[in-house]
Amino acid sequence: MTPVIELLCQHRSIRKFTDQPIDQATLETLIQAGQAAATSSFIQACTVIQVNDSHKREQLAQWAGPQAYVAEAPQFLVFCADMKRHQLMCQIHDAPMESGFTEQFLTASLDCGLFAQNLMVAAESLGLGGVYIGGLRNRIEAVADLLELPELVYPVFGLCLGYPAQNPEVKPRLPVSVVLKQDRYDDSQDVATIREYDQVVREYYATRSGGTKDMSWSEQISGMLSKEARPHMLPFLQQRGFLNK
Ligand SMILES: Cc1cc2nc3c(=O)[nH]c(=O)nc-3n(C[C@H](O)[C@H](O)[C@H](O)COP(=O)(O)O)c2cc1C
């Protein structure tokens, strides 16, 4: 184990924060740590909107759930997959951009994930904590309008950041044998292994300090995946210039 691996394995989402602010210089250092992540073909397709305006924060908190911590966190960032500046660069070089490819959507979205997770780990290394907010996609069109996002830019998720005012237990992950396969995809043992893992998760939920519940992992996942998943996403993305080819 290295200190970095220990830090990674201690991750847990933080949803309650102290009043201690994060100064702008620290935030910009975290942004640089995010930018340092690998980026597909050097495309650098992530733009972060730092939301300071308290009215916008309240509105986003409502649309996301409501999830009060979106308004309460010392910092709230929205990670946007952004192909707009690339369009500008193509214009500069008289090379009309072929936009709308699924490949571009994938690489821009991946860039956001890698950028954000670098930033999250950097934040955790400074004693900060945070939680991603996919709930923004409940009302993605309204979020895009509120933040004045142009075509070829879409909000992938938000991130609350601050100094933790809670100390939640680490959430147990799937056994390595389920997520690491040798040479081919063999899931013949997975159901049995996941049944054992279900007990671990049930125990975690039954005993955790931040609110208990009686639920296994497979129950949680099957409940979630037997419902529609934000069906407005495809038309929204297509209208914004993504996923058309
Ligand atoms: C892209 C993404 C979106 C998420 N959206 C939300 C959210 O809207 N609200 C929330 O409370 N947690 C959200 N989470 C946090 C997950 O619920 C959390 O990471 C997961 O349950 C594992 O818990 P842990 O982070 O404490 O290990 C999100 C996580 C990711 C990666």
Side-chain angles (χ1 to χ4, degrees), residues 11-13 15 67 69 131-135 157 171 173:
H11 159 80
R12 65 268 193 283
S13 292
R15 298 177 176 85
Q67 299 195 59
Y69 28 92
V131 61
Y132 290 104
I133 302 294
F157 47 72
K171 214 183 228 184
R173 297 304 203 247

Side-chain angles (χ1 to χ4, degrees), residues 23 32 55 67 77 86 96 107 115 130 148 152 155 189 212 227 232-233:
D23 62 70
Q32 285 177 325
H55 299 294
Q67 299 195 59
L77 307 175
H86 309 83
T107 50
F115 187 127
E148 298 177 40
L152 294 181
Q189 303 302 312
T212 60
K227 294 187 199 125
H232 54 270
M233 284 301 295

